[in-house]
Amino acid sequence: MTEWTRTLEVDGPDRTQELAQRLGAQLRAGDLLVLTGELGAGKTTFTQGLARGLGVDRGVISPTFVLVRRHRGGPGRPDLVHVDAYRLASAAEVDDLDLEDTADASVTVVEWGAGKVEHLAGSRLEVVLERAVGAGALGSPGTDAGTAAPAPHAAGDPEEDDDAPEPRRITLTGVGPRWAGGPPAL
């Protein structure tokens, strides 16, 4: 059911946010994005850029400890529902968050959601972020950011190493009818 895959390379957090901001400007209510990547790969940084593209006017931080944060979109833009599914073991636990109540009217972004949230929408945009250093390093043999076991969350912001100016690979995969027209212009 995959419609397309597009891989882009960026040179750090600022470029990650710029790319995500351009994508965020093209998103619409009902869109589901599933973010995958090791700690520090840029999932929250990517979401911050999406938020700017949606006109969110206040800071976006990781929902690590609260699991879900809702941010009001700009005028005429959908809200952003930002989810951290790291501590959730199954789709049933995701269902307990009642994301279905906001899914149609918002853009829903789920960090660590692969294998847990696909049932929430008929279409989704899968986003895999890989760092140039660390366990999922770009070009490292035998690494796969989509299947590697995540390191445990540490106290504080799990994306705190995300400010280092290093290359990132961002792979977007459109799944379902929403993305049948091909990748967004970025």
Side-chain angles (χ1 to χ4, degrees), residues 1-21:
M1 187 170 188
T2 297
E3 303 294 340
W4 51 264
T5 296
R6 181 174 182 195
T7 300
L8 304 148
E9 297 216 7
V10 296
D11 64 2
D14 291 341
R15 298 290 181 248
T16 299
Q17 285 189 354
E18 290 170 10
L19 178 120
Q21 183 174 352

PDB file of all heavy atoms in Angstrom, residues 1-21:
ATOM      1  N   MET A   1       0.817  -1.197   0.000  1.00  0.00           N
ATOM      2  CA  MET A   1       0.000   0.000   0.000  1.00  0.00           C
ATOM      3  C   MET A   1       0.864   1.266   0.000  1.00  0.00           C
ATOM      4  O   MET A   1       0.358   2.352  -0.061  1.00  0.00           O
ATOM      5  CB  MET A   1      -0.930  -0.038   1.206  1.00  0.00           C
ATOM      6  CG  MET A   1      -1.933   1.053   1.218  1.00  0.00           C
ATOM      7  SD  MET A   1      -3.118   0.701   2.529  1.00  0.00           S
ATOM      8  CE  MET A   1      -4.286   1.952   2.196  1.00  0.00           C
ATOM      9  N   THR A   2       2.185   1.108   0.075  1.00  0.00           N
ATOM     10  CA  THR A   2       3.078   2.258   0.015  1.00  0.00           C
ATOM     11  C   THR A   2       2.930   2.928  -1.344  1.00  0.00           C
ATOM     12  O   THR A   2       2.983   2.268  -2.382  1.00  0.00           O
ATOM     13  CB  THR A   2       4.546   1.825   0.228  1.00  0.00           C
ATOM     14  OG1 THR A   2       4.658   1.273   1.530  1.00  0.00           O
ATOM     15  CG2 THR A   2       5.493   2.998   0.085  1.00  0.00           C
ATOM     16  N   GLU A   3       2.760   4.222  -1.340  1.00  0.00           N
ATOM     17  CA  GLU A   3       2.588   4.970  -2.573  1.00  0.00           C
ATOM     18  C   GLU A   3       3.924   5.473  -3.119  1.00  0.00           C
ATOM     19  O   GLU A   3       4.137   5.490  -4.309  1.00  0.00           O
ATOM     20  CB  GLU A   3       1.641   6.158  -2.340  1.00  0.00           C
ATOM     21  CG  GLU A   3       0.277   5.767  -1.811  1.00  0.00           C
ATOM     22  CD  GLU A   3      -0.543   4.959  -2.799  1.00  0.00           C
ATOM     23  OE1 GLU A   3      -0.270   4.994  -4.006  1.00  0.00           O
ATOM     24  OE2 GLU A   3      -1.466   4.268  -2.336  1.00  0.00           O
ATOM     25  N   TRP A   4       4.810   5.909  -2.231  1.00  0.00           N
ATOM     26  CA  TRP A   4       6.106   6.462  -2.646  1.00  0.00           C
ATOM     27  C   TRP A   4       7.023   6.595  -1.440  1.00  0.00           C
ATOM     28  O   TRP A   4       6.560   6.598  -0.303  1.00  0.00           O
ATOM     29  CB  TRP A   4       5.947   7.825  -3.322  1.00  0.00           C
ATOM     30  CG  TRP A   4       5.131   8.797  -2.512  1.00  0.00           C
ATOM     31  CD1 TRP A   4       3.802   9.045  -2.661  1.00  0.00           C
ATOM     32  CD2 TRP A   4       5.572   9.598  -1.413  1.00  0.00           C
ATOM     33  NE1 TRP A   4       3.385   9.951  -1.704  1.00  0.00           N
ATOM     34  CE2 TRP A   4       4.456  10.322  -0.931  1.00  0.00           C
ATOM     35  CE3 TRP A   4       6.793   9.787  -0.785  1.00  0.00           C
ATOM     36  CZ2 TRP A   4       4.539  11.210   0.133  1.00  0.00           C
ATOM     37  CZ3 TRP A   4       6.867  10.679   0.280  1.00  0.00           C
ATOM     38  CH2 TRP A   4       5.737  11.371   0.719  1.00  0.00           C
ATOM     39  N   THR A   5       8.321   6.710  -1.704  1.00  0.00           N
ATOM     40  CA  THR A   5       9.319   6.982  -0.670  1.00  0.00           C
ATOM     41  C   THR A   5      10.270   8.034  -1.224  1.00  0.00           C
ATOM     42  O   THR A   5      10.673   7.960  -2.386  1.00  0.00           O
ATOM     43  CB  THR A   5      10.106   5.710  -0.297  1.00  0.00           C
ATOM     44  OG1 THR A   5       9.195   4.770   0.291  1.00  0.00           O
ATOM     45  CG2 THR A   5      11.213   6.010   0.705  1.00  0.00           C
ATOM     46  N   ARG A   6      10.635   8.992  -0.379  1.00  0.00           N
ATOM     47  CA  ARG A   6      11.571  10.052  -0.768  1.00  0.00           C
ATOM     48  C   ARG A   6      12.560  10.240   0.375  1.00  0.00           C
ATOM     49  O   ARG A   6      12.155  10.393   1.531  1.00  0.00           O
ATOM     50  CB  ARG A   6      10.816  11.346  -1.032  1.00  0.00           C
ATOM     51  CG  ARG A   6      11.713  12.476  -1.466  1.00  0.00           C
ATOM     52  CD  ARG A   6      10.914  13.685  -1.861  1.00  0.00           C
ATOM     53  NE  ARG A   6      11.817  14.732  -2.307  1.00  0.00           N
ATOM     54  CZ  ARG A   6      11.475  15.982  -2.450  1.00  0.00           C
ATOM     55  NH1 ARG A   6      10.221  16.350  -2.213  1.00  0.00           N
ATOM     56  NH2 ARG A   6      12.338  16.877  -2.847  1.00  0.00           N
ATOM     57  N   THR A   7      13.852  10.249   0.058  1.00  0.00           N
ATOM     58  CA  THR A   7      14.892  10.436   1.062  1.00  0.00           C
ATOM     59  C   THR A   7      15.608  11.751   0.805  1.00  0.00           C
ATOM     60  O   THR A   7      15.991  12.050  -0.340  1.00  0.00           O
ATOM     61  CB  THR A   7      15.889   9.263   1.032  1.00  0.00           C
ATOM     62  OG1 THR A   7      15.168   8.060   1.313  1.00  0.00           O
ATOM     63  CG2 THR A   7      16.984   9.448   2.070  1.00  0.00           C
ATOM     64  N   LEU A   8      15.774  12.517   1.867  1.00  0.00           N
ATOM     65  CA  LEU A   8      16.448  13.817   1.796  1.00  0.00           C
ATOM     66  C   LEU A   8      17.544  13.855   2.843  1.00  0.00           C
ATOM     67  O   LEU A   8      17.420  13.220   3.892  1.00  0.00           O
ATOM     68  CB  LEU A   8      15.442  14.943   2.072  1.00  0.00           C
ATOM     69  CG  LEU A   8      14.224  14.948   1.157  1.00  0.00           C
ATOM     70  CD1 LEU A   8      13.018  15.483   1.888  1.00  0.00           C
ATOM     71  CD2 LEU A   8      14.518  15.783  -0.064  1.00  0.00           C
ATOM     72  N   GLU A   9      18.589  14.594   2.580  1.00  0.00           N
ATOM     73  CA  GLU A   9      19.641  14.785   3.574  1.00  0.00           C
ATOM     74  C   GLU A   9      19.683  16.260   3.941  1.00  0.00           C
ATOM     75  O   GLU A   9      19.585  17.121   3.071  1.00  0.00           O
ATOM     76  CB  GLU A   9      20.986  14.300   3.040  1.00  0.00           C
ATOM     77  CG  GLU A   9      20.915  12.805   2.776  1.00  0.00           C
ATOM     78  CD  GLU A   9      22.186  12.053   3.081  1.00  0.00           C
ATOM     79  OE1 GLU A   9      23.133  12.644   3.641  1.00  0.00           O
ATOM     80  OE2 GLU A   9      22.209  10.866   2.769  1.00  0.00           O
ATOM     81  N   VAL A  10      19.802  16.516   5.229  1.00  0.00           N
ATOM     82  CA  VAL A  10      19.901  17.885   5.742  1.00  0.00           C
ATOM     83  C   VAL A  10      21.139  17.960   6.617  1.00  0.00           C
ATOM     84  O   VAL A  10      21.647  16.945   7.083  1.00  0.00           O
ATOM     85  CB  VAL A  10      18.634  18.292   6.533  1.00  0.00           C
ATOM     86  CG1 VAL A  10      17.408  18.316   5.624  1.00  0.00           C
ATOM     87  CG2 VAL A  10      18.382  17.369   7.710  1.00  0.00           C
ATOM     88  N   ASP A  11      21.617  19.183   6.856  1.00  0.00           N
ATOM     89  CA  ASP A  11      22.886  19.316   7.574  1.00  0.00           C
ATOM     90  C   ASP A  11      22.745  19.700   9.039  1.00  0.00           C
ATOM     91  O   ASP A  11      23.685  20.192   9.631  1.00  0.00           O
ATOM     92  CB  ASP A  11      23.818  20.291   6.851  1.00  0.00           C
ATOM     93  CG  ASP A  11      23.269  21.705   6.820  1.00  0.00           C
ATOM     94  OD1 ASP A  11      22.185  21.966   7.383  1.00  0.00           O
ATOM     95  OD2 ASP A  11      23.933  22.572   6.225  1.00  0.00           O
ATOM     96  N   GLY A  12      21.602  19.505   9.625  1.00  0.00           N
ATOM     97  CA  GLY A  12      21.456  19.769  11.046  1.00  0.00           C
ATOM     98  C   GLY A  12      20.049  20.172  11.421  1.00  0.00           C
ATOM     99  O   GLY A  12      19.132  20.147  10.600  1.00  0.00           O
ATOM    100  N   PRO A  13      19.880  20.576  12.673  1.00  0.00           N
ATOM    101  CA  PRO A  13      18.540  20.877  13.197  1.00  0.00           C
ATOM    102  C   PRO A  13      17.833  22.027  12.480  1.00  0.00           C
ATOM    103  O   PRO A  13      16.624  21.942  12.260  1.00  0.00           O
ATOM    104  CB  PRO A  13      18.790  21.235  14.660  1.00  0.00           C
ATOM    105  CG  PRO A  13      20.130  20.701  14.980  1.00  0.00           C
ATOM    106  CD  PRO A  13      20.899  20.616  13.714  1.00  0.00           C
ATOM    107  N   ASP A  14      18.557  23.080  12.124  1.00  0.00           N
ATOM    108  CA  ASP A  14      17.898  24.202  11.447  1.00  0.00           C
ATOM    109  C   ASP A  14      17.308  23.776  10.117  1.00  0.00           C
ATOM    110  O   ASP A  14      16.173  24.130   9.781  1.00  0.00           O
ATOM    111  CB  ASP A  14      18.874  25.366  11.240  1.00  0.00           C
ATOM    112  CG  ASP A  14      19.256  26.040  12.545  1.00  0.00           C
ATOM    113  OD1 ASP A  14      18.524  25.877  13.553  1.00  0.00           O
ATOM    114  OD2 ASP A  14      20.293  26.738  12.562  1.00  0.00           O
ATOM    115  N   ARG A  15      18.065  23.006   9.368  1.00  0.00           N
ATOM    116  CA  ARG A  15      17.582  22.523   8.062  1.00  0.00           C
ATOM    117  C   ARG A  15      16.460  21.499   8.251  1.00  0.00           C
ATOM    118  O   ARG A  15      15.542  21.433   7.440  1.00  0.00           O
ATOM    119  CB  ARG A  15      18.710  21.930   7.238  1.00  0.00           C
ATOM    120  CG  ARG A  15      19.794  22.913   6.895  1.00  0.00           C
ATOM    121  CD  ARG A  15      19.300  23.946   5.877  1.00  0.00           C
ATOM    122  NE  ARG A  15      20.382  24.855   5.557  1.00  0.00           N
ATOM    123  CZ  ARG A  15      20.406  26.135   5.886  1.00  0.00           C
ATOM    124  NH1 ARG A  15      19.388  26.669   6.538  1.00  0.00           N
ATOM    125  NH2 ARG A  15      21.411  26.901   5.565  1.00  0.00           N
ATOM    126  N   THR A  16      16.537  20.712   9.313  1.00  0.00           N
ATOM    127  CA  THR A  16      15.458  19.766   9.624  1.00  0.00           C
ATOM    128  C   THR A  16      14.167  20.539   9.848  1.00  0.00           C
ATOM    129  O   THR A  16      13.114  20.186   9.306  1.00  0.00           O
ATOM    130  CB  THR A  16      15.815  18.923  10.873  1.00  0.00           C
ATOM    131  OG1 THR A  16      16.997  18.182  10.611  1.00  0.00           O
ATOM    132  CG2 THR A  16      14.680  17.980  11.255  1.00  0.00           C
ATOM    133  N   GLN A  17      14.239  21.603  10.639  1.00  0.00           N
ATOM    134  CA  GLN A  17      13.045  22.400  10.911  1.00  0.00           C
ATOM    135  C   GLN A  17      12.528  23.103   9.661  1.00  0.00           C
ATOM    136  O   GLN A  17      11.320  23.186   9.451  1.00  0.00           O
ATOM    137  CB  GLN A  17      13.318  23.413  12.022  1.00  0.00           C
ATOM    138  CG  GLN A  17      13.364  22.773  13.379  1.00  0.00           C
ATOM    139  CD  GLN A  17      13.406  23.780  14.510  1.00  0.00           C
ATOM    140  OE1 GLN A  17      13.512  24.990  14.300  1.00  0.00           O
ATOM    141  NE2 GLN A  17      13.319  23.291  15.724  1.00  0.00           N
ATOM    142  N   GLU A  18      13.426  23.611   8.829  1.00  0.00           N
ATOM    143  CA  GLU A  18      12.996  24.280   7.600  1.00  0.00           C
ATOM    144  C   GLU A  18      12.240  23.317   6.686  1.00  0.00           C
ATOM    145  O   GLU A  18      11.192  23.660   6.138  1.00  0.00           O
ATOM    146  CB  GLU A  18      14.195  24.868   6.862  1.00  0.00           C
ATOM    147  CG  GLU A  18      14.809  26.061   7.565  1.00  0.00           C
ATOM    148  CD  GLU A  18      16.140  26.491   6.953  1.00  0.00           C
ATOM    149  OE1 GLU A  18      16.501  25.989   5.856  1.00  0.00           O
ATOM    150  OE2 GLU A  18      16.817  27.330   7.575  1.00  0.00           O
ATOM    151  N   LEU A  19      12.790  22.118   6.509  1.00  0.00           N
ATOM    152  CA  LEU A  19      12.127  21.117   5.683  1.00  0.00           C
ATOM    153  C   LEU A  19      10.762  20.767   6.267  1.00  0.00           C
ATOM    154  O   LEU A  19       9.761  20.721   5.557  1.00  0.00           O
ATOM    155  CB  LEU A  19      13.003  19.863   5.589  1.00  0.00           C
ATOM    156  CG  LEU A  19      12.384  18.732   4.773  1.00  0.00           C
ATOM    157  CD1 LEU A  19      13.279  18.402   3.593  1.00  0.00           C
ATOM    158  CD2 LEU A  19      12.190  17.522   5.650  1.00  0.00           C
ATOM    159  N   ALA A  20      10.723  20.542   7.563  1.00  0.00           N
ATOM    160  CA  ALA A  20       9.460  20.186   8.223  1.00  0.00           C
ATOM    161  C   ALA A  20       8.459  21.333   8.165  1.00  0.00           C
ATOM    162  O   ALA A  20       7.255  21.099   8.030  1.00  0.00           O
ATOM    163  CB  ALA A  20       9.725  19.780   9.671  1.00  0.00           C
ATOM    164  N   GLN A  21       8.930  22.578   8.240  1.00  0.00           N
ATOM    165  CA  GLN A  21       8.027  23.720   8.142  1.00  0.00           C
ATOM    166  C   GLN A  21       7.357  23.757   6.760  1.00  0.00           C
ATOM    167  O   GLN A  21       6.152  24.000   6.658  1.00  0.00           O
ATOM    168  CB  GLN A  21       8.774  25.021   8.396  1.00  0.00           C
ATOM    169  CG  GLN A  21       7.866  26.238   8.373  1.00  0.00           C
ATOM    170  CD  GLN A  21       8.596  27.518   8.768  1.00  0.00           C
ATOM    171  OE1 GLN A  21       9.741  27.503   9.196  1.00  0.00           O
ATOM    172  NE2 GLN A  21       7.907  28.626   8.620  1.00  0.00           N
TER     173      GLN A  21
END
